[in-house]
Amino acid sequence: MTTTSEETPVRRGGVRAEERALAPDLARGIMLLLIVLSNTAFHLWAARRGPSGWQPADGSWLDHAVQFTMIIVLDLRVYPLFAFLFGYGMMQLFLRQTAAGNSERGAARILRRRSLWLIVIGLLHSTLLMAGDIVGYYGVLSLVLGLVFLRRSERALKRWICAGAVLIVFFAAQPVVSALLRGELGTLGDAGAEPGFMAYAAQEGNWLTAAGTRLETGLFITFLASALALVGGGYVVFLLGFWAARRRVLEKPGRHRTLLRRTAVIGITVGWLGALPAALAHVGALDVTADAQSEEGALTLLRDVTGNAAGLGYVAAVALFVHWWTSRRARVGAGEIAGSAASAIWGAGAGAGATVVAAVSAVGKRSLSCYLAHSLLFAPVLAAWGLGLGEHLSSWTMALFAVGVWLLTVVGAYALERAGRRGPAEAVLRRLMYGARAKAG
């Protein structure tokens, strides 16, 4: 088809191999490792919980070290990374479609179909296996934000990003300031609330009963939590992905090194320092009331807000690594250090390094398939309605199990990459988005 009219727009399939950029794919592959590790606490259903209701509070010193690290590095820090990459990918798709001759409305229609199908996939995933699904949640966000912002100017994006940042600070700071003025900061929150992990029903021995609980949780996360994020400024990182994609920050990291360095250093520093009080309190190194550590407490609010900075910092760090990696390989390929000792050292490790980078990037290219595969490998083995292994694992052994699951997806994704095949979930979603007659891509 060659017409560009909105009645019969030019159609093309998804991204082609030659159009892919390394940084987004590598970031998605690493993100999935962080996600599978952050989900481990849901499956330790027999463990004693801390006041936050999430991380276990029992075990050996090694378990406490894992809990401490996860609170600082992972908890409430991975999903902003996911949101940024999700928004970045949306804008990439939109720009590819319009560059191929499709109308803006035609490209937006494709993205709407994608969002609607992601909501369906997410609800099925949460009901059948994992209540903490985020695919449906981001499906709702992408549906709304795509309708409103895909075709807006860069200036408008910046205004809404700033407005959202103000909303995040206000909604997080308001209860803290109010409690502080009343002299009741330590009582902010409710340590007696039902532990959050209960909503994931891993402790339920009957699969149907667990599925009912998971469906309720999935509906809450998909629709109510996404609505709260839209009202409370939680869309900020998503829109930053839109803005960065227009600037091609991840495709051309060398052009944005100053921005990326500042984002990596400031973002990760702020994010980790913001979670440090909660981590210290969790392992008993900081004397804080249980209410302050609870899900609505001051320490949780602090690490929630600063988690956005950490997520952006992680993306920037991956982009900087990709710039270093590709530049180094290009210099060696051009013979700049040929014959030197440095060339010999580099050559010895370059092959293995290239394989690792390619394998993790293959996971990023098949992120939906690998994300769903995590639950297929986790839930039946760990949940009480399955083999029940989660009752017998501790924080550190659960982390090892999670890394093993991720490595299995790396092996599978790399095998598909070598065979030139997409992930099964990506193939199905592409067919649903573009139809059978879309141009191959």
Side-chain angles (χ1 to χ4, degrees), residues 246-384:
R246 287 186 176 180
R247 294 293 187 94
R248 305 192 72 195
V249 172
L250 298 185
E251 288 101 319
K252 304 290 184 182
R255 298 179 182 177
H256 306 277
R257 279 176 292 177
T258 300
L259 172 65
L260 291 170
R261 288 192 190 108
R262 290 174 179 171
T263 303
V265 172
I266 296 174
I268 294 174
T269 300
V270 170
W272 288 8
L273 288 177
L276 183 59
L280 291 171
H282 181 83
V283 298
L286 184 65
D287 186 16
V288 179
T289 65
D291 285 337
Q293 299 177 60
S294 70
E295 195 169 352
E296 303 297 328
L299 297 189
T300 302
L301 290 173
L302 176 62
R303 64 190 180 113
D304 189 5
V305 172
T306 56
N308 293 296
L312 293 173
Y314 294 161
V315 176
V318 172
L320 288 170
F321 168 79
V322 167
H323 173 67
W324 171 83
W325 173 260
T326 53
S327 299
R328 183 69 169 172
R329 286 174 64 84
R331 287 197 300 271
V332 172
E336 290 186 15
I337 57 173
S340 66
S343 177
I345 294 171
W346 172 263
T355 300
V356 171
V357 170
V360 176
S361 299
V363 173
K365 295 176 184 178
R366 297 158 183 83
S367 56
L368 181 58
S369 294
C370 293
Y371 175 70
L372 298 176
H374 291 169
S375 296
L376 285 171
L377 295 169
F378 259 52
V381 174
L382 300 172

Side-chain angles (χ1 to χ4, degrees), residues 20 29 239 274 339 357 406:
R20 302 200 74 100
L239 292 190
V357 170
W406 179 76

Side-chain angles (χ1 to χ4, degrees), residues 20 32 89 168 218 242 258 285 402 416 424:
R20 302 200 74 100
L32 285 168
I168 289 174
F242 279 14
T258 300
L416 290 173

Side-chain angles (χ1 to χ4, degrees), residues 24-48:
D25 288 333
L26 186 61
R28 291 186 188 99
I30 295 171
M31 173 195 72
L32 285 168
L33 171 60
L34 302 182
I35 285 179
V36 76
L37 283 168
S38 68
N39 285 341
T40 55
F42 305 155
H43 299 282
L44 293 171
W45 46 273
R48 180 176 62 84

Side-chain angles (χ1 to χ4, degrees), residues 45-356:
W45 46 273
R48 180 176 62 84
R49 303 284 155 166
S52 71
W54 293 105
Q55 284 291 346
D58 52 10
S60 65
W61 68 268
L62 189 55
D63 293 308
H64 291 310
V66 169
Q67 295 156 14
F68 182 89
T69 303
M70 286 190 175
I71 290 172
I72 289 181
V73 178
L74 300 178
D75 290 355
L76 302 174
R77 272 126 190 80
V78 181
Y79 295 123
L81 166 60
F82 187 100
F84 178 90
L85 293 173
F86 201 106
Y88 198 99
M90 273 188 71
M91 183 58 73
Q92 280 185 310
L93 189 154
F94 180 79
L95 295 175
R96 282 195 299 267
Q97 287 289 329
T98 54
N102 201 350
S103 67
E104 289 187 345
R105 289 188 178 181
R109 278 196 294 271
I110 292 172
L111 281 164
R112 281 199 298 274
R113 280 197 297 273
R114 179 175 182 256
S115 298
L116 291 170
W117 280 114
L118 287 176
I119 293 170
V120 173
I121 293 170
L123 288 175
L124 287 172
H125 179 218
S126 61
T127 303
L128 296 175
L129 292 170
M130 222 286 278
D133 172 84
I134 54 173
V135 171
Y137 171 85
Y138 285 113
V140 172
L141 286 181
S142 64
L143 182 64
V144 176
L145 297 176
L147 285 171
V148 178
F149 292 107
L150 271 176
R151 291 177 281 173
R152 300 294 291 271
S153 68
E154 190 170 304
R155 178 177 296 180
L157 282 179
K158 289 180 179 179
R159 285 201 299 266
W160 280 95
I161 289 168
C162 291
V166 171
L167 285 173
I168 289 174
V169 172
F170 172 78
F171 282 111
Q174 188 274 329
V176 174
V177 172
S178 178
L180 188 62
L181 291 175
R182 297 194 308 270
E184 300 174 354
L185 183 61
T187 63
L188 181 65
D190 182 8
E194 181 179 83
F197 85 98
M198 298 286 288
Y200 294 78
Q203 75 285 352
E204 176 57 56
N206 182 281
W207 183 86
L208 280 176
T209 303
T213 301
R214 287 196 302 268
L215 176 59
E216 291 179 12
T217 304
L219 289 170
F220 174 86
I221 293 174
T222 300
F223 296 109
L224 184 56
S226 60
L228 293 173
L230 290 169
V231 173
Y235 60 83
V236 164
V237 181
F238 210 105
L239 292 190
L240 281 169
F242 279 14
W243 174 84
R246 287 186 176 180
R247 294 293 187 94
R248 305 192 72 195
V249 172
L250 298 185
E251 288 101 319
K252 304 290 184 182
R255 298 179 182 177
H256 306 277
R257 279 176 292 177
T258 300
L259 172 65
L260 291 170
R261 288 192 190 108
R262 290 174 179 171
T263 303
V265 172
I266 296 174
I268 294 174
T269 300
V270 170
W272 288 8
L273 288 177
L276 183 59
L280 291 171
H282 181 83
V283 298
L286 184 65
D287 186 16
V288 179
T289 65
D291 285 337
Q293 299 177 60
S294 70
E295 195 169 352
E296 303 297 328
L299 297 189
T300 302
L301 290 173
L302 176 62
R303 64 190 180 113
D304 189 5
V305 172
T306 56
N308 293 296
L312 293 173
Y314 294 161
V315 176
V318 172
L320 288 170
F321 168 79
V322 167
H323 173 67
W324 171 83
W325 173 260
T326 53
S327 299
R328 183 69 169 172
R329 286 174 64 84
R331 287 197 300 271
V332 172
E336 290 186 15
I337 57 173
S340 66
S343 177
I345 294 171
W346 172 263
T355 300
V356 171

